[in-house]
Amino acid sequence: MNHGLQGALALDTVVLVTIGLAVGYLAKVRMPRPPAGLFVRSDIVIMVALLVIMPFAYLDMPAALVCTVFGLTVFVGLQFTLAPLIGGRGAVAVATPACAFEIVAYFAHWSTALMLVNDVALVVVATGVTNLWVQTGMRPPLVAGFAAALVVYDTVATGLSSVTSDFMHLVNGIPFAPMLAARYTPEPIMMGLGDTLMLTLWPLVAIKSYGRAAGICAIAVDVLLMAAVFAGFATGAITYIPLLTPLGLLIVAQYFYWRRRIPVVVPVRDPLEAALRASYGEDEPADGTWVALHEGKVVGRGDSPGAARRTAREAGVAEVPVTALGRP
Amino acid sequence: MLSTGLRQLGFAWSMLSGRGFRVRDAMALADDVRATIEEFGSAGDGAGDMLSAPDPEVQDGLTRRRLRRTVRNAARHTPYYRHLFERIGVDPASVTPDTIASIPPTPKNALRSMPAAFVSDRARPAMAAQTTGTTGIPTTVWFSQYELDITVATGALALMLTAGLRSEHVWANCITTRSIAQYLEGRSVPMAGAGYVPIGPVDPRVALDRLATPMHLPGKRPQITHLNATPSYLAAIVQEAERDGWTAADFGLQEIHVGGEILTDALRDRARELFNVPVTDGYSMTEIIPVAGQVCAHDHLHLPVDLGYVEVLDPVTLEPAAPGAVGSLTITPFLSYRDTTTLLRYVTGDLVRVLPEAEKLGCEMAAVPATSRILGRVTGSDLTTRDVLELLQAERALPLPTRYAIEETGDPGGPVLHVVAERASRTLSARLEGRVADLALPLSGVVLVEDPADLPTPCRVRADLREHTFHTVPAGRSA
């Protein structure tokens, strides 16, 4: 196996580790929530807008400014991901030297060390960001909508134009680059943070909304997709791929599958159903009399609904009965 | 979440700056809080801080700013205060909490006699609320659509974040449908996601029947969970329920909220005993909306400082009451909540005792300034409404709601207390006189009457604001 394939395999492994960490984090850690607010459609619209605009903006920014923006993002991401585990101060104590090291490594030309530390930081950030989204109520339809938008975006930006390619060259080898990397220039092997986030996000949302089976299925789909891409690289059929194009379509497909398989159940009001099925028989109440019904049987009578409810309680019925007026 | 964050920032900015709120944002924020609670079971971290006051130093600065804006606006745009400031020659811009005494307090009669003079020239009056006028003359207060909407939105936030109202709950209101509180709760309770049942002060037998009636609605508890009533109407319900043999198990109540009159310990205990739920005592009045107080577990009345400027003035001299002394609550609602009927230093006439300096607040609401509970009015020599009601409602042989009258006879021992009893007897009279002596109340005697018409002066309570319904409930089994 050549070095390129080893690098791709390493990246796939890192993504799987990220998914595993995110699933464990979801099970064990409760992130602080903002006072009010859920992840709603407008948030997705804002995110998509930023996603479309920012790469163009970055291409026109000085590299130092791009580094600063990503550095702040990584620092904040590390801090809020680690704070629930080791406390706010502990998180700062970890995030600060990690970020400082990336800067030092860049100026010292320790490219391998920079790459490794940045990869670890991005794994932690991806774990935190995806958990933040899921734990603030990001629901499957929103993820599916986001994924659908990303299909269009990635197809255009990566597949049909040079936006992603130019962006990769811009951030190649700089501190806090939003790319998981197995090798920098001259022949970079990298995977965008957006790809990592979406590969991680859907399994979490699937587990939370549809259960473990859906989560396992989502991870299996991720693995199969990464295997297919790896095979494409191995055979030379592809040299790059807009990963979000197939991934987005697969997420949308999974969403429709699970939505159909596990429909939203509107609870039935059993006491009312039982009362409507009831046949009073000899207990037929007189016109103007109220009856209390429990499990289809008359358990109380009265001149008013409250009185009928009370006689039911006096008769030993602990549950709240249904009251109905005697049929004329 | 991002748009909610912006709305929260905007709401916080309005709270801190004392400027007007963006109604649409406040409404949307209430919706966001409801959605958050429905999704997660509770609001997020620090949600309670949205409505709570910041630390005292920051609060002082905010109070100065809010008061200055309120006074300046009243002096410019409210006819009554424009004339007042011209007359007294005080520069409105110079008024601070330290110099507010330069503005003469506004008596109730001034508002009663000419309510339009208190309506700002810039206002857009939309709804008039009249007080119940238990003293004979109602007071009219006009509200703009902005005031109504912002009070509804902040009310919904308070119901969710402070009172713990959830979408599974069903809130029944037994206060008069003519009151502004009924209108506001009719909008803020559904905004909080809960069900709302406007029962009104109907025949207490009908109200009890409605409270006991199973509903089985989707997403709601099977019976009414929250009851809001005035203490006198609660007393009428308690009386009827005790007579008719109702028990807590007949209802699904979780909380009872009362306000608008004095809730005595005796009535609170009786209601708790009967319904087996906590009884929350609150204070507000139409004129001072949105300023509202709540009684804590230590029996203090806590009045938040971010809705209006609160003073306690000696009822005779109208100077600030000293610690430990009795005074009248005097309120200046802030401009950001009230832009139509504007009031400066409005003397409510509701007496409280300023807490002694040695008394430290150790309750769950200790961060909010407090006074004693409402004492009512002074009747006779130092005898308050609460003194009389505590005396009478502790006696279970007397009917509820309690009806009495104080008659000044010139007796040095104090006035005579006339009380309505179902059966006037020497035994009952002696028992009451014994309690008067035990409590050292300044009364020279107790006279029992069996007909309210025999009282020397009419005794009006809010439970008398009875509303009629065609819904009838047969007389109780033991009645």
Side-chain angles (χ1 to χ4, degrees):
Chain A
M1 191 184 290
N2 64 36
H3 287 303
L5 289 179
Q6 284 175 0
L9 195 58
L11 281 188
D12 289 347
T13 307
V14 170
V15 170
L16 287 177
V17 168
T18 308
I19 295 170
L21 285 174
V23 171
Y25 195 98
L26 180 66
K28 302 283 182 194
V29 182
R30 181 193 173 277
M31 298 184 91
R33 283 188 286 117
L38 296 174
F39 220 101
V40 292
R41 201 180 306 163
S42 61
D43 297 319
I44 297 293
V45 172
I46 292 169
M47 281 167 59
V48 171
L50 288 174
L51 197 74
V52 171
I53 294 165
M54 290 316 287
F56 291 101
Y58 291 139
L59 292 176
D60 286 332
M61 283 184 195
L65 186 56
V66 174
C67 264
T68 307
V69 171
F70 289 133
L72 283 171
T73 307
V74 169
F75 180 83
V76 172
L78 286 172
Q79 205 280 333
F80 77 69
T81 307
L82 296 174
L85 297 170
I86 56 177
R89 286 182 184 173
V92 170
V94 173
T96 306
C99 292
F101 180 83
E102 287 207 37
I103 295 166
V104 170
Y106 174 74
F107 285 109
H109 303 290
W110 302 336
S111 62
T112 304
L114 170 61
M115 186 179 69
L116 288 175
V117 170
N118 193 49
D119 282 354
V120 171
L122 291 182
V123 166
V124 175
V125 169
T127 300
V129 168
T130 50
N131 265 276
L132 180 74
W133 289 346
V134 174
Q135 293 194 30
T136 49
M138 197 177 198
R139 291 172 172 274
L142 295 179
V143 182
F146 190 36
L150 291 176
V151 167
V152 177
Y153 170 76
D154 213 24
T155 304
V156 173
T158 309
L160 303 177
S161 74
S162 64
V163 174
T164 305
S165 170
D166 293 345
F167 180 67
M168 282 176 69
H169 282 106
L170 174 72
V171 300
N172 186 7
I174 68 168
F176 316 114
M179 297 276 178
L180 284 178
R183 191 172 66 199
Y184 287 144
T185 45
E187 293 175 0
I189 302 170
M190 298 199 285
M191 181 186 282
L193 181 60
D195 301 341
T196 313
L197 288 172
M198 292 307 287
L199 284 163
T200 310
L201 177 63
W202 177 252
L204 299 190
V205 174
I207 289 170
K208 192 176 175 221
S209 302
Y210 302 124
R212 187 192 280 187
I216 292 170
C217 174
I219 294 170
V221 168
D222 281 358
V223 170
L224 287 173
L225 176 63
M226 288 190 290
V229 171
F230 181 80
F233 282 125
T235 58
I238 53 174
T239 53
Y240 75 95
I241 181 171
L243 189 68
L244 290 173
T245 303
L247 177 60
L249 292 173
L250 287 168
I251 288 174
V252 172
Q254 287 178 83
Y255 162 64
F256 281 114
Y257 174 79
W258 289 109
R259 192 180 75 155
R260 193 178 170 86
R261 192 175 169 92
I262 307 177
V264 176
V265 178
V266 178
V268 173
R269 286 166 283 161
D270 290 330
L272 276 180
E273 296 290 327
L276 289 170
R277 281 194 300 268
S279 173
Y280 299 135
E282 290 178 3
D283 281 335
E284 187 70 42
D287 184 16
T289 306
W290 288 83
V291 290
L293 299 160
H294 179 56
E295 294 177 348
K297 293 180 185 143
V298 175
V299 291
R301 291 170 185 278
D303 296 321
S304 64
R309 186 268 176 274
R310 183 164 57 167
T311 53
R313 189 263 305 163
E314 288 168 345
V317 177
E319 293 84 359
V320 179
V322 173
T323 51
L325 188 60
R327 287 176 272 205
Chain B
M1 199 166 62
L2 299 171
S3 48
T4 306
L6 291 176
R7 282 196 284 270
Q8 285 173 54
L9 284 175
F11 189 77
W13 166 248
S14 297
M15 291 272 284
L16 294 175
S17 67
R19 293 173 189 276
F21 292 89
R22 276 169 57 101
V23 169
R24 198 175 46 190
D25 284 354
M27 295 269 188
L29 184 57
D31 285 340
D32 292 338
V33 170
R34 180 182 48 73
T36 305
I37 291 172
E38 286 175 358
E39 173 74 18
F40 299 110
S42 66
D45 304 292
D49 296 341
M50 270 200 267
L51 295 175
S52 61
D55 74 73
E57 275 186 34
V58 176
Q59 186 62 53
D60 281 349
L62 292 175
T63 301
R64 283 175 183 277
R65 207 176 311 148
R66 290 164 176 160
L67 187 63
R68 191 170 56 233
R69 287 174 56 82
T70 304
V71 171
R72 201 171 49 204
N73 179 73
R76 274 186 198 161
H77 304 299
T78 306
Y80 177 88
Y81 292 110
R82 196 163 47 231
H83 284 264
L84 179 76
F85 276 93
E86 282 169 12
R87 201 171 65 239
I88 62 177
V90 171
D91 175 13
S94 70
V95 175
T96 67
D98 304 320
T99 62
I100 194 167
S102 60
I103 307 172
T106 305
K108 253 184 176 224
N109 270 337
L111 178 61
R112 264 189 200 139
S113 67
M114 202 183 285
F118 289 85
V119 175
S120 167
D121 296 331
R122 301 175 72 183
R124 301 181 68 177
M127 184 177 185
Q130 282 203 323
T131 61
T132 49
T134 45
T135 51
I137 308 168
T139 308
T140 302
V141 183
W142 278 94
F143 293 92
S144 65
Q145 192 60 45
Y146 166 82
E147 291 172 316
L148 297 171
D149 289 344
I150 205 66
T151 310
V152 164
T154 52
L157 286 169
L159 284 170
M160 289 184 279
L161 299 176
T162 311
L165 194 70
R166 298 289 178 263
S167 54
E168 69 193 41
H169 293 140
V170 182
W171 177 289
N173 234 348
C174 285
I175 55 179
T176 172
T177 49
R178 286 162 285 170
S179 79
I180 188 76
Q182 175 83 279
Y183 168 82
L184 294 172
E185 283 173 10
R187 291 181 61 197
S188 56
V189 169
M191 190 175 274
Y196 183 70
V197 183
I199 295 177
V202 294
D203 180 338
R205 286 176 301 181
V206 173
L208 282 166
D209 202 74
R210 296 283 299 274
L211 292 175
T213 298
M215 294 180 296
H216 294 292
L217 298 166
K220 300 279 181 268
R221 298 270 176 161
Q223 289 173 289
I224 286 167
T225 55
H226 290 64
L227 167 65
N228 186 30
T230 58
S232 61
Y233 189 76
L234 176 65
I237 284 184
V238 166
Q239 177 85 82
E240 195 61 43
E242 286 176 350
R243 279 185 184 159
D244 207 16
W246 292 94
T247 71
D250 294 319
F251 307 99
L253 283 175
Q254 296 182 357
E255 271 181 47
I256 296 173
H257 293 254
V258 296
E261 288 175 320
I262 287 175
L263 175 70
T264 63
D265 293 343
L267 177 60
R268 184 177 60 190
D269 292 347
R270 262 171 98 169
R272 274 185 192 156
E273 201 177 289
L274 177 71
F275 294 110
N276 193 27
V277 294
V279 181
T280 305
D281 188 10
Y283 169 77
S284 189
M285 61 195 305
T286 306
E287 300 94 305
I288 62 168
I289 283 174
V291 177
Q294 189 173 332
V295 174
C296 69
H298 293 191
D299 286 339
H300 302 126
L301 173 66
H302 293 266
L303 288 149
V305 294
D306 48 351
L307 305 174
Y309 189 71
V310 180
E311 301 170 86
V312 182
L313 302 184
D314 183 285
V316 178
T317 65
L318 294 179
E319 293 295 320
V326 170
S328 179
L329 275 176
T330 303
I331 312 281
T332 304
F334 288 140
L335 175 65
S336 48
Y337 298 92
R338 289 289 296 273
D339 61 0
T340 304
T341 297
T342 47
L343 294 166
L344 302 179
R345 307 192 81 204
Y346 182 72
V347 183
T348 64
D350 290 323
L351 298 180
V352 292
R353 190 177 295 281
V354 181
L355 296 183
E357 279 174 346
E359 187 168 345
K360 300 291 177 207
L361 296 176
C363 60
E364 73 280 9
M365 298 168 70
V368 183
T371 65
S372 75
R373 285 182 291 175
I374 297 290
L375 304 174
R377 304 284 198 266
V378 169
T379 49
S381 50
D382 291 341
L383 190 67
T384 65
T385 314
R386 179 173 290 280
D387 291 332
V388 178
L389 285 174
E390 291 285 4
L391 164 76
L392 299 179
Q393 291 186 347
E395 175 52 66
R396 294 206 174 197
L398 292 173
L400 294 173
T402 308
R403 294 182 190 280
Y404 70 92
I406 300 285
E407 186 184 23
E408 296 287 353
T409 59
D411 189 310
V416 173
L417 175 63
H418 296 256
V419 185
V420 176
E422 275 183 340
R423 286 181 205 82
S425 71
R426 283 187 179 281
T427 317
L428 177 57
S429 185
R431 210 157 57 220
L432 286 171
E433 284 177 346
R435 278 187 52 78
V436 167
D438 291 345
L439 296 168
L441 295 179
L443 287 167
S444 60
V446 177
V447 176
L448 299 180
V449 297
E450 294 184 353
D451 185 348
D454 292 336
L455 291 172
T457 52
C459 177
R460 297 189 181 108
V461 293
R462 290 180 193 234
D464 296 336
L465 296 165
R466 190 63 60 83
E467 290 176 7
H468 296 287
T469 167
F470 296 123
H471 177 193
T472 56
V473 173
R477 289 174 300 186
S478 55

